Amino acid sequence: MHHKIDLDTYKMIVEIGFEAANANIMGSQLIHVLVTLMGVKGASIFVVNPKTEELEILATEGLSVAYVNKGPILVDKSIKLPSNQEPVIIKETKGSQRLQYPEKAEAEGIRSIVSFPVNLGQKLIGALRLYHSKPWDISQRELVYLNLLSRHIAMALKYYRLSSVVQCTKELFNEIHPVWL
């Protein structure tokens, strides 16, 4: 069986995540590589907005503007397992009760979705989703690599967030006139 992700490919994907200048660039580059490499219709990386409990798009590719803007993606109604620790595989979206917007997925031509939680420890901070235009039997090896990738995305998001806070703090301290110190 031919796997679309092998160890060398996985290493290249992870390097993209850690070489980007910020989270938006990292997300866009990772999504582009995944869509191209996996031959899927599209993919998205979401981050959780803690105030609204909605998944907000960090990066997406291959999906129409109408689908991307279909409405709020609520953490408690969107694709998930109760634990938010395991990937969710929807081999056939038609008739699935797991979708928040099933009619929008059908209109977009999405037949399969694989969704990976992006967690820091036990806390859900986002999701990685791949969308396919036909029923999809994703291999166990690809599931393992993509699950690992979702963990790397979590670490990268944490790094970019902390880096941003450190930079803002540095700029704030630089604005203090020496007379006040």
Side-chain angles (χ1 to χ4, degrees):
M1 174 183 227
H2 173 70
H3 297 286
K4 295 178 181 173
I5 299 179
D6 59 18
L7 186 56
D8 289 333
T9 305
Y10 180 75
K11 288 191 307 190
M12 184 232 2
I13 292 169
V14 170
E15 286 172 4
I16 289 170
F18 289 101
E19 291 177 2
N22 62 51
N24 291 332
I25 293 171
M26 179 235 10
S28 294
Q29 290 175 337
L30 285 176
I31 290 302
H32 177 74
V33 169
L34 284 173
V35 169
T36 303
L37 180 73
M38 301 294 293
V40 294
K41 175 178 180 41
S44 299
I45 296 175
F46 298 91
V47 292
V48 173
N49 179 328
K51 292 178 184 171
T52 62
E53 288 295 311
E54 293 177 7
L55 290 172
E56 297 178 348
I57 293 177
L58 175 70
T60 191
E61 185 170 313
L63 303 173
S64 70
V65 171
Y67 185 76
V68 169
N69 295 324
K70 64 188 169 288
I73 303 171
L74 305 173
V75 170
D76 62 344
K77 293 192 181 190
S78 187
I79 303 166
K80 69 175 201 158
L81 287 177
S83 69
N84 275 327
Q85 298 297 313
E86 299 293 326
V88 175
I89 302 166
I90 301 174
K91 290 183 182 181
E92 176 60 66
T93 57
K94 197 172 185 95
S96 175
Q97 300 299 311
R98 293 179 166 185
L99 300 179
Q100 186 178 352
Y101 299 102
E103 69 286 348
K104 303 286 186 183
E106 185 173 350
E108 183 71 9
I110 296 170
R111 296 284 306 274
S112 300
I113 302 173
V114 180
S115 180
F116 297 87
V118 174
N119 294 322
L120 278 176
Q122 301 296 314
K123 184 171 176 65
L124 180 72
I125 64 164
L128 167 64
R129 293 193 178 158
L130 288 87
Y131 307 90
H132 212 302
S133 58
K134 57 187 175 189
W136 184 22
D137 282 321
I138 187 167
S139 75
Q140 190 62 37
R141 176 176 282 171
E142 289 165 339
L143 277 173
V144 168
Y145 279 127
L146 291 167
N147 200 33
L148 285 172
L149 180 60
S150 72
R151 292 177 185 189
H152 278 101
I153 290 170
M155 289 186 290
L157 290 173
K158 181 177 181 178
Y159 166 79
Y160 290 122
R161 173 68 74 192
L162 292 173
S163 177
S164 174
V165 168
V166 167
Q167 186 61 36
C168 288
T169 304
K170 179 183 175 213
E171 289 170 8
L172 183 65
F173 278 117
N174 287 341
E175 290 179 13
I176 299 173
H177 192 277
V179 74
W180 299 107
L181 296 176

Short mmCIF file of all heavy atoms in Angstrom, two decimals, residues 99-137:
data_model
loop_
_atom_site.label_atom_id
_atom_site.label_comp_id
_atom_site.label_asym_id
_atom_site.label_seq_id
_atom_site.Cartn_x
_atom_site.Cartn_y
_atom_site.Cartn_z
N LEU A 99 -22.12 16.27 11.93
CA LEU A 99 -21.80 17.55 11.32
C LEU A 99 -22.72 18.65 11.83
O LEU A 99 -23.93 18.44 11.98
CB LEU A 99 -21.93 17.47 9.79
CG LEU A 99 -21.04 16.46 9.09
CD1 LEU A 99 -21.30 16.47 7.60
CD2 LEU A 99 -19.58 16.76 9.35
N GLN A 100 -22.17 19.82 12.05
CA GLN A 100 -22.95 20.97 12.47
C GLN A 100 -23.71 21.57 11.28
O GLN A 100 -24.83 22.05 11.43
CB GLN A 100 -22.04 22.02 13.09
CG GLN A 100 -22.77 23.21 13.68
CD GLN A 100 -21.83 24.21 14.34
OE1 GLN A 100 -20.64 23.96 14.50
NE2 GLN A 100 -22.38 25.33 14.74
N TYR A 101 -23.10 21.52 10.10
CA TYR A 101 -23.70 22.07 8.88
C TYR A 101 -23.69 21.02 7.77
O TYR A 101 -22.97 21.16 6.78
CB TYR A 101 -22.93 23.31 8.42
CG TYR A 101 -22.92 24.45 9.41
CD1 TYR A 101 -21.80 24.70 10.21
CD2 TYR A 101 -24.02 25.29 9.55
CE1 TYR A 101 -21.78 25.75 11.11
CE2 TYR A 101 -24.01 26.35 10.45
CZ TYR A 101 -22.89 26.57 11.23
OH TYR A 101 -22.88 27.62 12.12
N PRO A 102 -24.47 19.94 7.88
CA PRO A 102 -24.40 18.86 6.88
C PRO A 102 -24.80 19.31 5.48
O PRO A 102 -24.20 18.87 4.49
CB PRO A 102 -25.35 17.80 7.42
CG PRO A 102 -26.25 18.51 8.38
CD PRO A 102 -25.45 19.65 8.92
N GLU A 103 -25.79 20.20 5.37
CA GLU A 103 -26.23 20.66 4.05
C GLU A 103 -25.15 21.49 3.36
O GLU A 103 -25.00 21.44 2.15
CB GLU A 103 -27.55 21.44 4.15
CG GLU A 103 -27.46 22.79 4.84
CD GLU A 103 -27.29 22.78 6.35
OE1 GLU A 103 -27.46 21.72 7.00
OE2 GLU A 103 -26.97 23.84 6.90
N LYS A 104 -24.36 22.23 4.14
CA LYS A 104 -23.28 23.03 3.58
C LYS A 104 -22.15 22.13 3.08
O LYS A 104 -21.55 22.40 2.04
CB LYS A 104 -22.73 24.02 4.60
CG LYS A 104 -23.77 24.97 5.16
CD LYS A 104 -24.17 26.01 4.17
CE LYS A 104 -25.09 27.02 4.85
NZ LYS A 104 -25.59 28.02 3.95
N ALA A 105 -21.86 21.07 3.83
CA ALA A 105 -20.82 20.12 3.41
C ALA A 105 -21.24 19.44 2.10
O ALA A 105 -20.42 19.29 1.18
CB ALA A 105 -20.58 19.07 4.49
N GLU A 106 -22.52 19.06 2.00
CA GLU A 106 -22.99 18.42 0.78
C GLU A 106 -22.91 19.38 -0.41
O GLU A 106 -22.44 19.00 -1.48
CB GLU A 106 -24.43 17.93 0.96
CG GLU A 106 -24.94 17.15 -0.22
CD GLU A 106 -26.30 16.52 0.01
OE1 GLU A 106 -26.80 16.52 1.14
OE2 GLU A 106 -26.86 16.01 -0.98
N ALA A 107 -23.33 20.63 -0.20
CA ALA A 107 -23.27 21.63 -1.28
C ALA A 107 -21.82 21.90 -1.71
O ALA A 107 -21.57 22.20 -2.88
CB ALA A 107 -23.95 22.92 -0.83
N GLU A 108 -20.88 21.79 -0.78
CA GLU A 108 -19.47 22.03 -1.07
C GLU A 108 -18.83 20.84 -1.77
O GLU A 108 -17.72 20.93 -2.30
CB GLU A 108 -18.72 22.34 0.23
CG GLU A 108 -17.26 22.68 0.09
CD GLU A 108 -17.00 24.05 -0.54
OE1 GLU A 108 -17.93 24.84 -0.72
OE2 GLU A 108 -15.83 24.32 -0.87
N GLY A 109 -19.51 19.70 -1.79
CA GLY A 109 -18.94 18.50 -2.40
C GLY A 109 -18.02 17.73 -1.48
O GLY A 109 -17.16 16.97 -1.93
N ILE A 110 -18.20 17.91 -0.17
CA ILE A 110 -17.37 17.21 0.82
C ILE A 110 -18.05 15.90 1.15
O ILE A 110 -19.20 15.87 1.58
CB ILE A 110 -17.19 18.07 2.09
CG1 ILE A 110 -16.41 19.33 1.75
CG2 ILE A 110 -16.51 17.27 3.19
CD1 ILE A 110 -16.38 20.36 2.87
N ARG A 111 -17.34 14.79 0.95
CA ARG A 111 -17.89 13.46 1.23
C ARG A 111 -17.29 12.82 2.45
O ARG A 111 -17.89 11.95 3.07
CB ARG A 111 -17.67 12.55 0.02
CG ARG A 111 -18.38 12.96 -1.24
CD ARG A 111 -19.86 12.67 -1.24
NE ARG A 111 -20.20 11.30 -0.95
CZ ARG A 111 -20.27 10.31 -1.85
NH1 ARG A 111 -20.02 10.56 -3.11
NH2 ARG A 111 -20.59 9.11 -1.48
N SER A 112 -16.05 13.22 2.80
CA SER A 112 -15.35 12.65 3.96
C SER A 112 -14.63 13.77 4.70
O SER A 112 -14.12 14.70 4.07
CB SER A 112 -14.32 11.61 3.55
OG SER A 112 -14.89 10.55 2.86
N ILE A 113 -14.57 13.63 6.03
CA ILE A 113 -13.81 14.58 6.85
C ILE A 113 -13.04 13.79 7.89
O ILE A 113 -13.58 12.86 8.50
CB ILE A 113 -14.74 15.58 7.57
CG1 ILE A 113 -15.58 16.36 6.56
CG2 ILE A 113 -13.92 16.54 8.44
CD1 ILE A 113 -16.65 17.25 7.18
N VAL A 114 -11.78 14.15 8.05
CA VAL A 114 -10.99 13.62 9.16
C VAL A 114 -10.59 14.82 10.00
O VAL A 114 -9.99 15.78 9.49
CB VAL A 114 -9.74 12.85 8.66
CG1 VAL A 114 -8.95 12.31 9.84
CG2 VAL A 114 -10.15 11.71 7.74
N SER A 115 -10.96 14.79 11.28
CA SER A 115 -10.71 15.92 12.18
C SER A 115 -9.84 15.47 13.34
O SER A 115 -10.15 14.48 14.01
CB SER A 115 -12.05 16.45 12.70
OG SER A 115 -11.85 17.55 13.57
N PHE A 116 -8.76 16.21 13.56
CA PHE A 116 -7.83 15.92 14.65
C PHE A 116 -7.90 17.04 15.67
O PHE A 116 -7.81 18.22 15.30
CB PHE A 116 -6.39 15.83 14.13
CG PHE A 116 -6.18 14.72 13.16
CD1 PHE A 116 -6.43 14.92 11.81
CD2 PHE A 116 -5.75 13.48 13.59
CE1 PHE A 116 -6.26 13.88 10.90
CE2 PHE A 116 -5.57 12.44 12.69
CZ PHE A 116 -5.83 12.65 11.34
N PRO A 117 -8.04 16.71 16.95
CA PRO A 117 -8.00 17.77 17.95
C PRO A 117 -6.58 18.30 18.08
O PRO A 117 -5.62 17.56 17.94
CB PRO A 117 -8.43 17.05 19.25
CG PRO A 117 -8.05 15.62 19.02
CD PRO A 117 -8.20 15.38 17.54
N VAL A 118 -6.46 19.59 18.29
CA VAL A 118 -5.17 20.22 18.58
C VAL A 118 -5.22 20.57 20.06
O VAL A 118 -5.96 21.46 20.46
CB VAL A 118 -4.93 21.46 17.69
CG1 VAL A 118 -3.65 22.17 18.10
CG2 VAL A 118 -4.87 21.06 16.22
N ASN A 119 -4.50 19.79 20.86
CA ASN A 119 -4.57 19.90 22.32
C ASN A 119 -3.23 20.29 22.92
O ASN A 119 -2.19 19.86 22.45
CB ASN A 119 -4.98 18.57 22.94
CG ASN A 119 -6.39 18.15 22.58
OD1 ASN A 119 -7.28 18.98 22.49
ND2 ASN A 119 -6.58 16.87 22.37
N LEU A 120 -3.32 21.07 23.99
CA LEU A 120 -2.18 21.28 24.89
C LEU A 120 -2.54 20.52 26.15
O LEU A 120 -3.45 20.93 26.88
CB LEU A 120 -1.98 22.76 25.20
CG LEU A 120 -1.23 23.57 24.17
CD1 LEU A 120 -1.19 25.04 24.56
CD2 LEU A 120 0.17 23.04 23.96
N GLY A 121 -1.87 19.39 26.37
CA GLY A 121 -2.26 18.52 27.47
C GLY A 121 -3.66 17.99 27.20
O GLY A 121 -3.93 17.44 26.14
N GLN A 122 -4.58 18.22 28.11
CA GLN A 122 -5.97 17.78 27.95
C GLN A 122 -6.87 18.90 27.43
O GLN A 122 -8.06 18.69 27.26
CB GLN A 122 -6.51 17.28 29.30
CG GLN A 122 -5.72 16.13 29.90
CD GLN A 122 -5.77 14.89 29.05
OE1 GLN A 122 -6.83 14.49 28.58
NE2 GLN A 122 -4.62 14.28 28.82
N LYS A 123 -6.30 20.09 27.19
CA LYS A 123 -7.10 21.25 26.81
C LYS A 123 -7.15 21.41 25.28
O LYS A 123 -6.11 21.52 24.63
CB LYS A 123 -6.54 22.50 27.45
CG LYS A 123 -7.36 23.74 27.18
CD LYS A 123 -6.87 24.89 28.03
CE LYS A 123 -7.59 26.16 27.73
NZ LYS A 123 -8.98 26.18 28.05
N LEU A 124 -8.35 21.45 24.75
CA LEU A 124 -8.54 21.65 23.32
C LEU A 124 -8.26 23.11 22.97
O LEU A 124 -8.87 24.02 23.54
CB LEU A 124 -9.98 21.30 22.92
CG LEU A 124 -10.32 21.48 21.44
CD1 LEU A 124 -9.65 20.38 20.61
CD2 LEU A 124 -11.82 21.45 21.23
N ILE A 125 -7.31 23.33 22.04
CA ILE A 125 -7.00 24.70 21.61
C ILE A 125 -7.27 24.90 20.12
O ILE A 125 -7.15 26.01 19.62
CB ILE A 125 -5.55 25.11 21.94
CG1 ILE A 125 -4.54 24.26 21.19
CG2 ILE A 125 -5.31 25.09 23.44
CD1 ILE A 125 -3.14 24.84 21.17
N GLY A 126 -7.63 23.84 19.41
CA GLY A 126 -7.90 23.97 17.99
C GLY A 126 -8.22 22.63 17.35
O GLY A 126 -8.47 21.63 18.04
N ALA A 127 -8.19 22.64 16.02
CA ALA A 127 -8.47 21.42 15.26
C ALA A 127 -7.75 21.49 13.92
O ALA A 127 -7.55 22.57 13.37
CB ALA A 127 -9.97 21.24 15.05
N LEU A 128 -7.38 20.33 13.43
CA LEU A 128 -6.84 20.15 12.08
C LEU A 128 -7.85 19.29 11.34
O LEU A 128 -8.18 18.19 11.81
CB LEU A 128 -5.47 19.45 12.12
CG LEU A 128 -4.92 18.93 10.79
CD1 LEU A 128 -4.65 20.08 9.82
CD2 LEU A 128 -3.66 18.10 11.02
N ARG A 129 -8.36 19.79 10.23
CA ARG A 129 -9.37 19.03 9.48
C ARG A 129 -8.96 18.90 8.02
O ARG A 129 -8.50 19.85 7.40
CB ARG A 129 -10.74 19.71 9.57
CG ARG A 129 -11.27 19.66 10.98
CD ARG A 129 -12.70 20.03 11.08
NE ARG A 129 -13.11 19.88 12.48
CZ ARG A 129 -14.13 20.49 13.01
NH1 ARG A 129 -14.90 21.25 12.26
NH2 ARG A 129 -14.43 20.31 14.27
N LEU A 130 -9.16 17.69 7.50
CA LEU A 130 -8.94 17.41 6.09
C LEU A 130 -10.26 17.00 5.48
O LEU A 130 -11.00 16.20 6.08
CB LEU A 130 -7.90 16.30 5.91
CG LEU A 130 -6.47 16.72 6.24
CD1 LEU A 130 -6.18 16.54 7.71
CD2 LEU A 130 -5.49 15.93 5.42
N TYR A 131 -10.57 17.55 4.31
CA TYR A 131 -11.85 17.33 3.63
C TYR A 131 -11.58 16.65 2.31
O TYR A 131 -10.69 17.06 1.56
CB TYR A 131 -12.54 18.67 3.36
CG TYR A 131 -12.69 19.53 4.59
CD1 TYR A 131 -11.71 20.45 4.94
CD2 TYR A 131 -13.82 19.44 5.40
CE1 TYR A 131 -11.84 21.25 6.06
CE2 TYR A 131 -13.96 20.24 6.53
CZ TYR A 131 -12.96 21.14 6.85
OH TYR A 131 -13.09 21.93 7.97
N HIS A 132 -12.36 15.61 2.01
CA HIS A 132 -12.19 14.86 0.77
C HIS A 132 -13.48 14.89 -0.03
O HIS A 132 -14.57 14.91 0.56
CB HIS A 132 -11.78 13.41 1.07
CG HIS A 132 -10.88 12.82 0.03
ND1 HIS A 132 -11.22 12.72 -1.29
CD2 HIS A 132 -9.64 12.29 0.13
CE1 HIS A 132 -10.24 12.16 -1.96
NE2 HIS A 132 -9.25 11.89 -1.12
N SER A 133 -13.37 14.87 -1.34
CA SER A 133 -14.54 14.92 -2.22
C SER A 133 -15.14 13.54 -2.50
O SER A 133 -16.12 13.44 -3.23
CB SER A 133 -14.18 15.61 -3.54
OG SER A 133 -13.12 14.91 -4.17
N LYS A 134 -14.55 12.51 -1.92
CA LYS A 134 -15.10 11.16 -2.07
C LYS A 134 -14.92 10.41 -0.75
O LYS A 134 -14.13 10.83 0.10
CB LYS A 134 -14.40 10.42 -3.22
CG LYS A 134 -12.91 10.33 -3.09
CD LYS A 134 -12.29 9.73 -4.34
CE LYS A 134 -10.78 9.77 -4.21
NZ LYS A 134 -10.09 9.43 -5.41
N PRO A 135 -15.66 9.31 -0.56
CA PRO A 135 -15.44 8.53 0.66
C PRO A 135 -13.97 8.14 0.77
O PRO A 135 -13.34 7.77 -0.22
CB PRO A 135 -16.34 7.30 0.47
CG PRO A 135 -17.41 7.79 -0.45
CD PRO A 135 -16.73 8.76 -1.38
N TRP A 136 -13.44 8.22 1.98
CA TRP A 136 -11.99 8.11 2.17
C TRP A 136 -11.68 7.13 3.29
O TRP A 136 -12.12 7.30 4.41
CB TRP A 136 -11.45 9.49 2.51
CG TRP A 136 -9.98 9.64 2.66
CD1 TRP A 136 -9.00 8.84 2.17
CD2 TRP A 136 -9.32 10.69 3.37
NE1 TRP A 136 -7.76 9.33 2.51
CE2 TRP A 136 -7.93 10.48 3.25
CE3 TRP A 136 -9.76 11.79 4.09
CZ2 TRP A 136 -6.99 11.32 3.82
CZ3 TRP A 136 -8.82 12.62 4.65
CH2 TRP A 136 -7.46 12.39 4.51
N ASP A 137 -10.91 6.11 2.95
CA ASP A 137 -10.37 5.19 3.95
C ASP A 137 -8.93 5.58 4.20
O ASP A 137 -8.02 5.11 3.52
CB ASP A 137 -10.45 3.73 3.46
CG ASP A 137 -11.84 3.16 3.57
OD1 ASP A 137 -12.51 3.46 4.58
OD2 ASP A 137 -12.25 2.43 2.66
#
